[in-house]
Amino acid sequence: MIVARTIAELRAALQSRPGDGAVGLVPTMGALHEGHATLLRSARATDAVVVMSIFVNPTQFNEQADLAAYPRTEDADLALAEAEGVDVVFAPEAAEMYPAGFATTVSVAGPIAETLEGAQRGRAHFDGVATVVTKLLLAALPDRAYFGAKDAQQVAVIRRFVADLGIPVELVVCPTSRDSDGLARSSRNTRLTPDERARALAIPRALQAVRDAAADGVADAGALRARALEELDAAGIHPEYVAFVHPDTFAPVAEVDGPVLVAVAARVGRTRLIDNTVIGGA
Amino acid sequence: MIVARTIAELRAALQSRPGDGAVGLVPTMGALHEGHATLLRSARATDAVVVMSIFVNPTQFNEQADLAAYPRTEDADLALAEAEGVDVVFAPEAAEMYPAGFATTVSVAGPIAETLEGAQRGRAHFDGVATVVTKLLLAALPDRAYFGAKDAQQVAVIRRFVADLGIPVELVVCPTSRDSDGLARSSRNTRLTPDERARALAIPRALQAVRDAAADGVADAGALRARALEELDAAGIHPEYVAFVHPDTFAPVAEVDGPVLVAVAARVGRTRLIDNTVIGGA
C-alpha cells in the first residue's frame, strides 16, 4: 500500500499502476469505522485500484472546536486500509490542499446547499465540501467515488456539482452502516458517553417510527414529524431539525407522494449527530 | 472535422481519435479573427488533436445588450477552423451547458477577480468565466489549453482556479494579436465605425507611451499613468481604468520594480475595448 502525501505523489502512484484498470476513490476524514470499511469493500469488489483519502478538511468546519476535537487516528486508519486491500492512501496536509494564495471556491446554490445542514452549519460548510471533493476527484480522476448515505445532503450537493461541472466520475452511494442497536456509525460517536449513546438511539427509533407510520398510510409530513418528535422528546433530545424533503432538490415536502428523505440532526450532549431514511417508495 | 453539439458527442469524438496523442483546446466565443487563428496554429503545431470550442457564455455578460449584440458568425467560424486544421469543434447550445437545475459556480476571490474587469463588469463576470472554462476543460480534458494575452485578467483568473482545483491541464498564453496599425484584435472591433476605429488607436499608443517612458527610467506608476491618459485624452477617450498591477495577483503597484501589467479599458462609442502590456522585465 502506497501512502501519498502530495497530489503529485498520488498521481505518480496511479500512473505507475500496471494495466488500465478502473480506479475507485473513497474520500474520508479518517477516524475510520465499519461504515468506511463497507465503502472500501464496495470499491474493492468493483475497481482494479482502490484509493482512499484521509483529509480532515478545515474549510467545512463551522466550529473551530469541532475541528479541533475531530478524532484523528491515522495509524489505525492506515492499518484498516491495508487490511481492506486499499492500494493507495492519499493523506495530505492542509497546506498541500490549500497552499498560500489559494482563492477558489466551488459552490452550489439553492435548497440543496442552503437548508438543513447548510443553514445549521452555515453556507461555508457545503462550499468547503464541494471545493475539497472537487480537488480530490480531480487529483485522483477515479472512475467511481464512494459515499455513505448517512450524509444524504452532502451526497446531493456532490451529485449536483459533479453533474453541473461534468466531472467524469460515477458516484456510488452505499447504505448507511449501523451498529447492531441501530445507531448510524459516525466518527463522532466515539465522543458519546455511555448514557448519551443510549439516548442517541432515539434517533434511529424516531426514523423507524416515521417509516412505520408511513407504511400504515400516514402521508401528512406534519403528522409523521410529530411521531419522530415524540420519540426524540422521550429521550430528552431536542433536534435541530426533523425535515421532510425531496431527496435530490431538498425542496420541502408537505405530503408523501413519492420518495421523501426524512433527515434528522440533533445534539446529544456536546456531540452533533445526523441520520436519515427514505420513505414513499424507491 | 467533427462538430460536436453535446459534451457526450465531444467525448465520443475524442475517444474515437486514433492513438493517444495530446489534445489541445482553444476556447472561443466564436466571431473568429486572426487572433483566434494564431491560437489555433499554436495548438496545431503542438498537439496531435486540436479542439476548438465556440460558446457565447451568457453567464459572463453583465449587460444583456452586450450579449445580444455579440457577433455570431458560426458558418465563417467553422470554415476558419477547418482551414486551420481543427479536428473537433465543440459548439453547444446554452441548454447543454446549463440544463434545468444547474446550480454550481466556480469563483475566485481577491483582487484577481474583484478589481478592474471584475469591478467594472460585476462579480458575476469572472464567476461566469471560471465556471464555463472549468466545464470546457473537464469536457475535453485537454493536455493544453490556449488563451490570448489580451484578456490578461481572465488568464490570471483561469491560472488561479486551474492551480487551486488541480485541473490537469497546461495553460499556454499567446501574445496579443494586433492589426498592422497596432489595434488589439477583438471580435468587438467589428462594431467600431471608421472614425471610432481611428480614435481607438490611442489605446495601443497609450500603452506604447508607457513602455517608452518606462524604458526611459520612469518608475512611478502615477507618472506613467499620466502619460497614458495624455494619449487617450487627445483622442477624446475617457478610460474606465488605466491600471498598474502585479501580473499574477492584480495587487496595485505604485513603483515599477519588476514585471507590472498595465491594463486599459475604455469605451469608444458604444464599444468597450481592453488592452494591456507588461513593463518592468519579463
Side-chain angles (χ1 to χ4, degrees):
Chain A
M1 187 175 78
I2 296 171
V3 179
R5 298 290 176 182
T6 66
I7 292 170
E9 286 172 15
L10 171 62
R11 289 187 172 149
L14 290 173
Q15 279 187 337
S16 71
R17 304 293 311 179
D20 56 350
V23 173
L25 172 68
V26 180
T28 83
M29 299 210 300
L32 302 183
H33 50 66
E34 180 61 21
H36 298 101
T38 306
L39 300 179
L40 294 174
R41 279 170 219 144
S42 293
R44 186 71 285 166
T46 312
D47 296 303
V49 180
V50 175
V51 181
M52 182 184 85
S53 62
I54 302 176
F55 183 58
V56 183
N57 177 32
T59 66
Q60 75 191 65
F61 282 81
N62 52 313
E63 291 179 12
Q64 283 306 306
D66 188 33
L67 172 60
Y70 201 86
R72 286 167 173 80
T73 58
E74 191 178 281
D75 289 349
D77 294 345
L78 294 177
L80 184 147
E82 182 115 51
E84 296 294 344
V86 168
D87 298 295
V88 183
V89 171
F90 177 49
E93 296 291 329
E96 169 69 8
M97 296 297 274
Y98 305 113
F102 189 96
T104 303
T105 302
V106 177
S107 59
V108 172
I112 287 179
E114 291 160 10
T115 63
L116 308 185
E117 293 300 288
Q120 292 290 334
R121 306 186 66 172
R123 183 60 193 270
H125 171 62
F126 283 124
D127 285 359
V129 168
T131 304
V132 80
V133 174
T134 298
K135 277 195 72 118
L136 292 170
L137 291 173
L138 294 179
L141 285 176
D143 296 272
R144 272 166 289 276
Y146 296 78
F147 298 91
K150 183 172 81 76
D151 298 311
Q153 194 170 4
Q154 172 174 289
V155 167
V157 167
I158 293 169
R159 210 183 272 295
R160 184 75 254 170
F161 77 74
V162 163
D164 285 352
L165 298 181
I167 299 176
V169 64
E170 177 192 341
L171 302 181
V172 181
V173 180
C174 300
T176 300
S177 175
R178 297 181 183 279
D179 284 335
S180 56
D181 57 11
L183 190 66
R185 289 189 168 109
S186 164
S187 303
R188 290 187 177 84
N189 290 356
T190 58
R191 293 197 230 155
L192 295 167
T193 65
D195 172 63
E196 287 167 352
R197 202 179 183 300
R199 288 170 53 222
L201 294 178
I203 296 172
R205 271 204 309 273
L207 294 173
Q208 186 59 52
V210 170
R211 274 195 301 271
D212 292 345
D216 285 351
V218 180
D220 177 67
L224 292 167
R225 189 167 180 278
R227 290 287 297 110
L229 290 176
E230 232 171 81
E231 290 290 345
L232 296 171
D233 202 51
I237 295 177
H238 308 291
E240 291 180 358
Y241 59 76
V242 176
F244 291 71
V245 299
H246 187 286
D248 297 326
T249 65
F250 275 66
V253 171
E255 191 80 12
V256 178
D257 176 25
V260 172
L261 179 79
V262 186
V264 177
R267 277 182 200 272
V268 181
R270 290 171 311 160
T271 306
R272 190 172 183 279
L273 300 175
I274 62 173
D275 200 352
N276 67 79
T277 192
V278 174
I279 58 174
Chain B
M1 187 175 78
I2 297 171
V3 179
R5 298 289 176 182
T6 67
I7 292 170
E9 285 172 15
L10 170 63
R11 289 188 172 147
L14 290 173
Q15 280 188 336
S16 70
R17 302 293 313 177
D20 57 350
V23 173
L25 172 68
V26 180
T28 83
M29 297 210 301
L32 302 183
H33 50 65
E34 180 61 22
H36 298 101
T38 307
L39 299 179
L40 293 174
R41 281 171 218 144
S42 293
R44 187 69 285 164
T46 311
D47 296 304
V49 180
V50 176
V51 181
M52 182 184 84
S53 62
I54 302 177
F55 183 58
V56 182
N57 177 33
T59 66
Q60 75 192 64
F61 282 80
N62 50 314
E63 291 178 12
Q64 283 307 304
D66 188 34
L67 173 60
Y70 200 86
R72 286 166 173 82
T73 58
E74 190 178 281
D75 289 350
D77 294 344
L78 294 177
L80 185 147
E82 183 115 49
E84 295 295 344
V86 168
D87 298 295
V88 183
V89 172
F90 177 50
E93 296 292 328
E96 169 69 9
M97 295 296 275
Y98 305 113
F102 189 96
T104 303
T105 302
V106 178
S107 60
V108 172
I112 287 179
E114 291 161 8
T115 63
L116 309 185
E117 292 300 288
Q120 292 290 333
R121 307 186 65 172
R123 183 59 192 271
H125 170 63
F126 283 123
D127 285 359
V129 169
T131 305
V132 80
V133 174
T134 297
K135 277 194 73 115
L136 292 170
L137 291 174
L138 294 179
L141 286 177
D143 296 272
R144 271 167 289 277
Y146 296 79
F147 298 91
K150 183 172 82 75
D151 298 312
Q153 195 171 3
Q154 173 173 291
V155 167
V157 167
I158 293 170
R159 208 183 273 297
R160 183 76 256 169
F161 77 73
V162 163
D164 285 353
L165 298 181
I167 300 176
V169 64
E170 178 192 340
L171 302 182
V172 181
V173 181
C174 300
T176 299
S177 175
R178 296 180 184 280
D179 284 336
S180 56
D181 57 11
L183 189 66
R185 291 189 167 107
S186 165
S187 303
R188 290 187 177 85
N189 290 356
T190 58
R191 293 198 230 154
L192 296 167
T193 65
D195 173 63
E196 286 167 354
R197 202 180 183 299
R199 287 171 54 221
L201 294 178
I203 296 172
R205 271 204 309 272
L207 293 173
Q208 185 59 52
V210 170
R211 275 196 300 272
D212 291 346
D216 286 350
V218 181
D220 178 67
L224 291 167
R225 189 167 179 278
R227 290 287 298 110
L229 290 176
E230 233 170 81
E231 290 290 345
L232 296 171
D233 203 52
I237 295 177
H238 308 290
E240 291 180 359
Y241 58 75
V242 176
F244 291 72
V245 299
H246 187 285
D248 297 326
T249 65
F250 275 65
V253 170
E255 190 80 12
V256 178
D257 176 27
V260 172
L261 179 79
V262 187
V264 178
R267 276 181 200 271
V268 181
R270 289 171 312 161
T271 307
R272 190 171 183 279
L273 300 176
I274 62 172
D275 201 351
N276 67 78
T277 192
V278 174
I279 58 174

